[in-house]
Amino acid sequence: MKSRLAAAAAWFMAGAALAQSPPHARPQAGPAEILKASEIRPGMKGVAWTVFEGSDPEPVPVEIVGLWKNANGPRQDMIIARLGGKALKTNVAGGMSGTPVYVDGKLIGAIAFRLSVFSPEAVCGITAIESMLEIHDFDTSRPADARTPDRLPPRAELQVPSEVLAQMAAAGALRSPLDQPLILTPIETPISFSGFHESVIREFAGVFRQLGLVPVQGGASGALKGSKPEPGWERALQPGEAVAAVLVSGDMTVSSTGTVTYNDGKRILAFGHPFFNLGPVEMPMSRSEVLMVLPSQYQPTKLANASGIVGRIRQDRHSGVAGELGAEAQMIPVSVKVRSFDDPATVRKEKDLNFHVFVHQKWTPYLMMFTLFNSISGLNDFAEEATYRLSGQVELEGRRRISLATMQAPGELTVPAPMLLAGWWADKFNRLFQNAVDVPRLRNVSVTIDLLPQRRVATIENAWAEKAEVHPGEEIPVKVFLRPYRGERVERSFRIRVPEGLPHGDYRILLSDAETLNRLQAAAGLANRYMDIDQTVSLINQERSNHKLYVSLVQGRPTLYADDKTMPSLPGSVLNVMQGSRQAGRPFVTSAETAQEQMSLPFDYVVSGSYSLKIAVR
């Protein structure tokens, strides 16, 4: 018992001694004298600078414990230290990543790691400054172990019609913190969501937690619009101040907080560990204002608001991130209009949202997904049986515009309709950014989402044609019947003209949903790894919308689907030659029949199913 009291007293005295260290001058931007890790000795006293509240950093006493050899990789030693002062209460908190540490006025590195979330002492790992300075030597190389949502392990038990949504669901249930091994781990980086509903943050929290981020509700100033640096950027981000990496800005904001380690007047170093380890990036960099540090034995975290763009992050590497003051990062402007309807034709109210999204081939689709999901969540108009109708435009630099349209209604899947709609939306951007030939440049994105009352789904049930024998050029009156989810069946009459010059023989009039016609063409596009941007855009634009009924004339001659092209009614000899000359990596898909679309009928329902009518051309 006496030995425990003595140990506790010794620990208290050490903490008190650290807390009473003499004051130090606050560090400023400009060249700094450094102390290499090889010169560090146990027992050295120093000071760290970090923000606990507001925007001004405060000194934190530091005592060096020693060097942990090869702790951060081969020949990469970690400096282990014990913190005093306010850190005794807050412990090593999320958002402290990058906190600069000085010994005898010389910069030794950045607080970036912690050993245990339950330790009674504020023990941290410091990334040596010489490792961080190496970041400036890198240019375009990309790390193989980048942390992106597509690397999450898939969950086979959840089947959803969206690749992006399936990867998001892969976050799954998190393991208990008690199961974690005692290892030196990067300090979790708080990622703040402003303008997001708490239900949305909960839905996506698993993705960010598995990537080493702590999702928190937060805020951002009204100045955080776009990516243009605000006036006064020249004096921003002094060592020890809070810095934010911005993924989304505007009416919704997603930003992640760290601490500035070094500022030479133009370039900054921060974090001391990777953000996503993406390599070269263009990500807006912002000031950050700390509201408070939330003490916790499990997960102490800085609560902060991003408060103004001052530059861009240009490198995200193993030992930290590097940014450039005054530089502007490319972002995608997005506008979302959400309308609610009393009936399919009467708008009750609407709202407009505008924001900008970080550009990255793996992250942009996910950012598009949860910003869209957030746009339609938490509305008073939201109802379990509501149907969502989407129409959107994507403007690409130097390319054709993409036009998108779909509807989503509650169905048999356990995933809610708004999430399925968001996944469908994200997959279009995933196809663009995963292109292996060229990089898309998006000028702007606009989308309108209509909330319609009731579950508006209908299945093609039956059809009737006035004639079974027809002549080329003749019109045939046809009726089709659809069975909605509830209510009386829907009847629609139309006339289809038999094409002039159509050879005599037996044919089918196919009345179908969009999926029936899209399936083979989509398979051909997915099979080709070398489709360029123009072909991808063309293929997306050719996709039929699921709230229309399509009328096609089917004949027994093969069709070939290659890239974004459809070659109908091919003679057998031509098909044989093409099959013999196909190239590896550029396969095509064939069908035994040719379905030539004649017309489409719009509905305010999600249409499913198909029905065929036989006719003979004489």
Coordinates of all heavy atoms in Angstrom, one line a residue, residues 263-330:
N263 N 6.1 26.7 -39.9 CA 5.7 27.6 -41.0 C 6.9 28.4 -41.3 O 7.4 29.2 -40.5 CB 4.5 28.5 -40.4 CG 4.0 29.5 -41.4 OD1 4.7 29.8 -42.4 ND2 2.9 30.1 -41.2
D264 N 7.3 28.3 -42.6 CA 8.5 29.0 -43.0 C 8.1 30.4 -43.7 O 9.0 31.1 -44.2 CB 9.4 28.2 -44.0 CG 8.7 28.0 -45.3 OD1 7.6 28.5 -45.6 OD2 9.3 27.2 -46.1
G265 N 6.9 30.8 -43.6 CA 6.4 32.0 -44.1 C 5.5 31.8 -45.4 O 4.7 32.6 -45.7
K266 N 5.7 30.6 -46.0 CA 4.9 30.3 -47.2 C 4.4 28.8 -47.1 O 3.2 28.6 -47.5 CB 5.8 30.5 -48.5 CG 5.0 30.1 -49.8 CD 3.9 31.1 -50.1 CE 3.3 30.8 -51.4 NZ 2.2 31.7 -51.7
R267 N 5.2 27.9 -46.6 CA 4.9 26.5 -46.5 C 4.7 26.1 -45.1 O 5.3 26.7 -44.2 CB 5.9 25.7 -47.2 CG 6.2 26.0 -48.7 CD 7.3 25.1 -49.2 NE 8.6 25.3 -48.5 CZ 9.7 24.6 -48.6 NH1 9.7 23.7 -49.5 NH2 10.8 24.9 -47.9
I268 N 3.7 25.2 -44.9 CA 3.5 24.8 -43.5 C 3.6 23.2 -43.4 O 3.4 22.5 -44.4 CB 2.1 25.2 -42.9 CG1 1.0 24.5 -43.6 CG2 2.0 26.8 -43.1 CD1 0.3 23.5 -42.7
L269 N 4.0 22.7 -42.3 CA 3.9 21.3 -42.0 C 3.0 21.1 -40.8 O 2.9 21.9 -39.9 CB 5.3 20.8 -41.6 CG 6.4 20.8 -42.7 CD1 7.7 20.4 -42.2 CD2 6.0 19.8 -43.8
A270 N 2.2 20.0 -40.8 CA 1.2 19.8 -39.7 C 1.0 18.3 -39.5 O 1.5 17.5 -40.3 CB -0.1 20.5 -40.1
F271 N 0.2 18.0 -38.5 CA -0.3 16.6 -38.2 C 0.8 15.7 -37.6 O 0.6 15.0 -36.6 CB -1.0 16.0 -39.4 CG -2.3 16.5 -39.6 CD1 -2.5 17.7 -40.3 CD2 -3.5 15.8 -39.2 CE1 -3.8 18.2 -40.5 CE2 -4.7 16.3 -39.4 CZ -4.9 17.5 -40.1
G272 N 2.0 15.5 -38.2 CA 3.0 14.6 -37.8 C 2.7 13.2 -38.1 O 3.5 12.3 -37.8
H273 N 1.5 12.9 -38.7 CA 1.2 11.6 -39.2 C 0.3 11.8 -40.4 O -0.2 13.0 -40.6 CB 0.5 10.7 -38.1 CG -0.8 11.3 -37.6 ND1 -1.9 11.5 -38.3 CD2 -1.1 11.8 -36.3 CE1 -2.9 12.0 -37.6 NE2 -2.4 12.2 -36.4
P274 N 0.0 10.8 -41.2 CA -0.9 11.1 -42.4 C -2.3 11.4 -42.0 O -2.8 11.0 -41.0 CB -0.8 9.8 -43.2 CG -0.5 8.7 -42.1 CD 0.4 9.4 -41.1
F275 N -2.9 12.2 -42.9 CA -4.4 12.4 -42.8 C -5.1 11.2 -43.4 O -5.6 10.4 -42.7 CB -4.7 13.8 -43.5 CG -6.2 14.1 -43.5 CD1 -7.0 13.7 -42.4 CD2 -6.7 14.8 -44.5 CE1 -8.4 14.0 -42.4 CE2 -8.1 15.2 -44.5 CZ -8.9 14.8 -43.5
F276 N -5.0 11.1 -44.7 CA -5.4 9.9 -45.4 C -4.3 9.2 -46.1 O -4.5 8.2 -46.8 CB -6.5 10.2 -46.5 CG -7.8 10.7 -45.9 CD1 -8.5 11.8 -46.4 CD2 -8.4 10.0 -44.9 CE1 -9.7 12.2 -45.9 CE2 -9.6 10.4 -44.4 CZ -10.3 11.5 -44.9
N277 N -3.1 9.8 -46.1 CA -1.9 9.2 -46.8 C -2.2 9.1 -48.3 O -1.9 8.1 -48.9 CB -1.5 7.9 -46.2 CG -0.1 7.5 -46.5 OD1 0.8 8.4 -46.7 ND2 0.2 6.2 -46.5
L278 N -2.7 10.2 -48.9 CA -3.0 10.2 -50.3 C -1.9 10.6 -51.2 O -2.0 10.5 -52.4 CB -4.2 11.2 -50.5 CG -5.5 10.8 -49.7 CD1 -6.6 11.9 -50.0 CD2 -6.1 9.5 -50.1
G279 N -0.8 11.1 -50.6 CA 0.3 11.6 -51.5 C 0.0 13.0 -52.0 O -0.5 13.8 -51.2
P280 N 0.2 13.3 -53.2 CA 0.0 14.7 -53.7 C -1.6 14.9 -53.8 O -2.3 14.1 -54.3 CB 0.6 14.7 -55.2 CG 0.6 13.2 -55.5 CD 0.8 12.4 -54.3
V281 N -2.0 16.0 -53.2 CA -3.4 16.3 -53.2 C -3.6 17.8 -53.5 O -2.7 18.6 -53.4 CB -4.1 16.0 -51.8 CG1 -4.1 14.5 -51.6 CG2 -3.4 16.7 -50.7
E282 N -4.8 18.2 -53.7 CA -5.3 19.6 -53.7 C -6.5 19.7 -52.8 O -7.6 19.4 -53.2 CB -5.6 20.1 -55.1 CG -4.4 20.4 -56.0 CD -4.8 21.3 -57.2 OE1 -5.8 21.9 -57.2 OE2 -4.0 21.2 -58.2
M283 N -6.2 20.1 -51.6 CA -7.3 20.1 -50.6 C -7.2 21.5 -49.9 O -6.2 21.9 -49.5 CB -7.1 19.0 -49.5 CG -8.2 18.9 -48.5 SD -7.8 17.6 -47.2 CE -7.8 16.2 -48.2
P284 N -8.4 22.2 -49.8 CA -8.4 23.5 -49.1 C -7.9 23.4 -47.7 O -8.1 22.4 -47.0 CB -9.8 23.9 -49.2 CG -10.4 23.2 -50.3 CD -9.7 21.8 -50.4
M285 N -7.1 24.4 -47.3 CA -6.5 24.5 -45.9 C -7.1 25.7 -45.2 O -7.1 26.8 -45.8 CB -5.0 24.5 -46.0 CG -4.3 24.6 -44.7 SD -2.5 24.5 -45.0 CE -2.1 26.0 -45.9
S286 N -7.6 25.5 -44.0 CA -8.3 26.6 -43.3 C -7.7 26.8 -41.9 O -7.1 26.0 -41.3 CB -9.8 26.2 -43.2 OG -10.5 27.0 -42.3
R287 N -7.9 28.0 -41.4 CA -7.7 28.3 -40.0 C -8.8 27.5 -39.2 O -9.8 27.0 -39.8 CB -8.0 29.8 -39.7 CG -7.2 30.8 -40.5 CD -7.7 32.2 -40.1 NE -7.3 33.2 -41.0 CZ -6.3 34.0 -40.8 NH1 -5.5 33.9 -39.7 NH2 -6.0 35.0 -41.6
S288 N -8.6 27.3 -37.9 CA -9.5 26.6 -37.1 C -9.6 27.3 -35.7 O -8.5 27.6 -35.2 CB -9.2 25.1 -37.0 OG -10.2 24.4 -36.4
E289 N -10.8 27.4 -35.2 CA -11.0 28.0 -33.9 C -11.4 26.9 -32.9 O -12.5 26.2 -33.2 CB -12.0 29.1 -33.9 CG -12.2 29.8 -32.6 CD -13.3 30.8 -32.7 OE1 -13.9 31.0 -33.8 OE2 -13.5 31.6 -31.7
V290 N -10.7 26.7 -31.9 CA -11.0 25.6 -30.9 C -12.0 26.1 -29.9 O -11.8 27.1 -29.2 CB -9.8 25.1 -30.2 CG1 -10.1 24.0 -29.2 CG2 -8.8 24.5 -31.3
L291 N -13.2 25.4 -29.8 CA -14.2 25.7 -28.8 C -13.7 25.2 -27.4 O -13.8 26.0 -26.4 CB -15.5 25.1 -29.1 CG -16.1 25.5 -30.5 CD1 -17.4 24.8 -30.7 CD2 -16.3 27.0 -30.5
M292 N -13.2 24.0 -27.3 CA -12.8 23.4 -26.1 C -12.1 22.1 -26.4 O -12.2 21.6 -27.5 CB -14.0 23.2 -25.1 CG -15.0 22.1 -25.6 SD -16.2 21.7 -24.4 CE -15.3 20.9 -23.1
V293 N -11.4 21.6 -25.4 CA -10.8 20.2 -25.5 C -11.7 19.4 -24.5 O -11.7 19.7 -23.3 CB -9.4 20.2 -25.1 CG1 -8.9 18.7 -25.2 CG2 -8.5 21.1 -26.0
L294 N -12.4 18.4 -25.1 CA -13.3 17.6 -24.3 C -12.4 16.5 -23.6 O -11.9 15.6 -24.3 CB -14.3 16.9 -25.2 CG -15.3 16.0 -24.5 CD1 -16.2 16.8 -23.6 CD2 -16.2 15.3 -25.5
P295 N -12.3 16.6 -22.3 CA -11.5 15.6 -21.6 C -12.2 14.2 -21.6 O -13.4 14.2 -21.5 CB -11.4 16.1 -20.1 CG -11.8 17.5 -20.2 CD -12.7 17.6 -21.3
S296 N -11.4 13.1 -21.7 CA -12.0 11.8 -21.7 C -10.9 10.8 -21.5 O -9.8 10.9 -22.1 CB -12.8 11.5 -23.0 OG -13.1 10.2 -23.2
Q297 N -11.2 9.8 -20.7 CA -10.2 8.7 -20.5 C -10.1 7.8 -21.8 O -9.2 7.1 -22.0 CB -10.5 7.9 -19.3 CG -10.1 8.4 -18.0 CD -8.5 8.5 -17.9 OE1 -7.8 7.5 -18.2 NE2 -8.0 9.7 -17.6
Y298 N -11.2 7.8 -22.6 CA -11.3 7.0 -23.8 C -10.9 7.8 -25.0 O -10.0 7.4 -25.8 CB -12.7 6.4 -23.9 CG -12.9 5.7 -25.3 CD1 -12.0 4.8 -25.8 CD2 -14.0 6.1 -26.0 CE1 -12.2 4.3 -27.0 CE2 -14.2 5.5 -27.3 CZ -13.3 4.6 -27.8 OH -13.5 4.0 -29.0
Q299 N -11.5 9.0 -25.2 CA -11.3 9.6 -26.5 C -11.3 11.2 -26.3 O -12.3 11.8 -26.7 CB -12.4 9.2 -27.5 CG -12.0 9.5 -28.9 CD -13.0 8.8 -29.9 OE1 -14.2 9.1 -29.9 NE2 -12.5 7.8 -30.6
P300 N -10.3 11.8 -25.7 CA -10.3 13.2 -25.6 C -10.1 13.8 -26.9 O -9.4 13.4 -27.8 CB -9.0 13.5 -24.7 CG -8.2 12.3 -24.9 CD -9.1 11.1 -25.1
T301 N -10.9 14.9 -27.2 CA -11.0 15.5 -28.5 C -11.2 17.0 -28.5 O -11.9 17.5 -27.7 CB -12.2 14.9 -29.3 OG1 -12.1 13.4 -29.3 CG2 -12.3 15.4 -30.7
K302 N -10.5 17.7 -29.4 CA -10.7 19.1 -29.6 C -12.0 19.3 -30.4 O -12.2 18.6 -31.5 CB -9.6 19.7 -30.4 CG -8.3 19.9 -29.5 CD -7.3 20.7 -30.3 CE -6.0 20.9 -29.5 NZ -5.0 21.7 -30.2
L303 N -12.9 20.2 -29.9 CA -14.0 20.6 -30.7 C -13.7 21.9 -31.3 O -13.4 22.9 -30.6 CB -15.3 20.7 -29.8 CG -15.6 19.4 -28.9 CD1 -16.9 19.7 -28.1 CD2 -15.8 18.2 -29.9
A304 N -13.8 22.0 -32.6 CA -13.3 23.2 -33.4 C -14.2 23.5 -34.5 O -14.9 22.7 -35.1 CB -11.9 22.9 -33.8
N305 N -14.1 24.8 -34.9 CA -14.8 25.3 -36.1 C -13.7 25.7 -37.2 O -12.8 26.5 -36.8 CB -15.6 26.5 -35.8 CG -16.8 26.2 -34.9 OD1 -17.4 25.1 -35.0 ND2 -17.2 27.1 -34.1
A306 N -13.9 25.3 -38.4 CA -13.1 25.8 -39.5 C -13.5 27.2 -39.7 O -14.7 27.5 -39.7 CB -13.3 25.0 -40.7
S307 N -12.5 28.2 -39.9 CA -12.9 29.6 -39.8 C -12.4 30.4 -41.0 O -12.5 31.7 -40.9 CB -12.4 30.2 -38.5 OG -11.0 30.0 -38.3
G308 N -11.9 29.8 -42.0 CA -11.5 30.7 -43.2 C -10.4 30.0 -44.0 O -9.3 29.7 -43.4
I309 N -10.6 29.9 -45.3 CA -9.6 29.3 -46.2 C -8.4 30.2 -46.3 O -8.5 31.4 -46.5 CB -10.2 29.0 -47.6 CG1 -11.4 28.1 -47.5 CG2 -9.1 28.4 -48.5 CD1 -11.1 26.7 -47.0
V310 N -7.2 29.6 -46.1 CA -5.9 30.4 -46.2 C -4.9 29.8 -47.2 O -3.8 30.3 -47.4 CB -5.3 30.6 -44.8 CG1 -6.2 31.5 -44.0 CG2 -5.0 29.2 -44.2
G311 N -5.2 28.6 -47.8 CA -4.3 28.0 -48.7 C -4.7 26.6 -49.1 O -5.9 26.3 -49.0
R312 N -3.8 25.8 -49.4 CA -4.2 24.4 -49.8 C -3.1 23.4 -49.3 O -2.0 23.7 -49.1 CB -4.2 24.2 -51.3 CG -2.9 24.3 -52.0 CD -3.0 24.1 -53.5 NE -1.7 24.1 -54.2 CZ -1.5 24.2 -55.5 NH1 -2.5 24.2 -56.3 NH2 -0.3 24.3 -56.0
I313 N -3.6 22.2 -49.0 CA -2.7 21.1 -48.6 C -2.3 20.5 -49.9 O -3.1 20.1 -50.8 CB -3.4 20.1 -47.7 CG1 -3.7 20.8 -46.3 CG2 -2.6 18.8 -47.5 CD1 -4.5 19.9 -45.4
R314 N -1.0 20.3 -50.1 CA -0.5 19.7 -51.4 C 0.2 18.4 -51.2 O 0.4 17.7 -52.2 CB 0.4 20.7 -52.1 CG 1.7 21.1 -51.3 CD 2.5 22.1 -52.1 NE 3.8 22.3 -51.4 CZ 4.8 21.6 -51.5 NH1 4.8 20.5 -52.2 NH2 6.0 21.9 -50.9
Q315 N 0.5 17.9 -50.0 CA 1.1 16.6 -49.8 C 0.5 16.0 -48.5 O 0.3 16.7 -47.5 CB 2.6 16.7 -49.6 CG 3.4 17.1 -50.8 CD 3.4 15.9 -51.8 OE1 3.1 14.8 -51.5 NE2 3.9 16.2 -53.1
D316 N 0.1 14.7 -48.6 CA -0.4 14.0 -47.4 C 0.4 12.7 -47.3 O 0.2 11.8 -48.1 CB -1.9 13.7 -47.7 CG -2.6 12.9 -46.6 OD1 -1.9 12.7 -45.5 OD2 -3.7 12.4 -46.8
R317 N 1.4 12.7 -46.4 CA 2.4 11.7 -46.4 C 2.5 11.0 -45.0 O 1.8 11.4 -44.1 CB 3.8 12.3 -46.7 CG 3.9 12.9 -48.1 CD 4.0 11.8 -49.1 NE 4.0 12.3 -50.5 CZ 4.1 11.6 -51.6 NH1 4.2 10.3 -51.5 NH2 4.1 12.1 -52.8
H318 N 3.3 10.0 -45.0 CA 3.5 9.1 -43.8 C 3.8 9.9 -42.5 O 3.3 9.6 -41.4 CB 4.6 8.1 -44.1 CG 5.0 7.3 -42.9 ND1 4.1 6.3 -42.4 CD2 6.1 7.2 -42.1 CE1 4.7 5.7 -41.3 NE2 5.9 6.3 -41.2
S319 N 4.6 11.0 -42.7 CA 5.1 11.7 -41.5 C 4.4 13.1 -41.3 O 4.8 13.9 -40.5 CB 6.6 12.0 -41.5 OG 7.0 12.6 -42.7
G320 N 3.3 13.3 -42.1 CA 2.6 14.6 -41.9 C 2.0 15.1 -43.2 O 2.0 14.4 -44.2
V321 N 1.4 16.3 -43.1 CA 0.9 16.9 -44.3 C 1.7 18.3 -44.5 O 2.1 18.9 -43.6 CB -0.6 17.2 -44.2 CG1 -1.4 15.9 -44.0 CG2 -0.9 18.2 -43.1
A322 N 1.8 18.6 -45.8 CA 2.4 19.9 -46.2 C 1.4 20.8 -46.9 O 0.7 20.3 -47.8 CB 3.6 19.6 -47.1
G323 N 1.4 22.0 -46.6 CA 0.5 23.0 -47.2 C 1.2 24.2 -47.7 O 2.4 24.5 -47.4
E324 N 0.5 24.9 -48.5 CA 1.0 26.2 -49.1 C 0.0 27.3 -48.9 O -1.1 27.2 -49.3 CB 1.3 26.0 -50.6 CG 1.9 27.2 -51.3 CD 2.0 26.9 -52.8 OE1 1.6 25.8 -53.3 OE2 2.6 27.8 -53.5
L325 N 0.5 28.3 -48.2 CA -0.4 29.5 -47.9 C -0.6 30.3 -49.2 O 0.2 30.4 -50.1 CB 0.3 30.4 -46.9 CG 0.4 29.8 -45.5 CD1 1.3 30.7 -44.6 CD2 -1.0 29.7 -44.8
G326 N -1.9 30.8 -49.3 CA -2.2 31.6 -50.5 C -2.6 30.9 -51.7 O -3.1 31.5 -52.7
A327 N -2.4 29.6 -51.8 CA -2.7 28.8 -53.0 C -4.2 28.3 -52.9 O -4.7 28.1 -51.8 CB -1.8 27.6 -53.1
E328 N -4.8 28.2 -54.1 CA -6.2 27.8 -54.2 C -6.3 26.3 -54.7 O -5.6 26.0 -55.7 CB -7.0 28.7 -55.1 CG -8.5 28.4 -55.2 CD -9.2 29.4 -56.0 OE1 -8.6 30.4 -56.4 OE2 -10.5 29.2 -56.1
A329 N -7.1 25.5 -54.0 CA -7.3 24.1 -54.4 C -8.5 24.0 -55.3 O -9.5 24.8 -55.1 CB -7.5 23.2 -53.2
Q330 N -8.5 23.1 -56.3 CA -9.7 22.9 -57.1 C -10.7 22.2 -56.3 O -10.5 21.3 -55.5 CB -9.3 22.0 -58.3 CG -10.5 21.7 -59.2 CD -10.1 20.6 -60.2 OE1 -9.1 20.0 -60.2 NE2 -11.1 20.2 -61.1

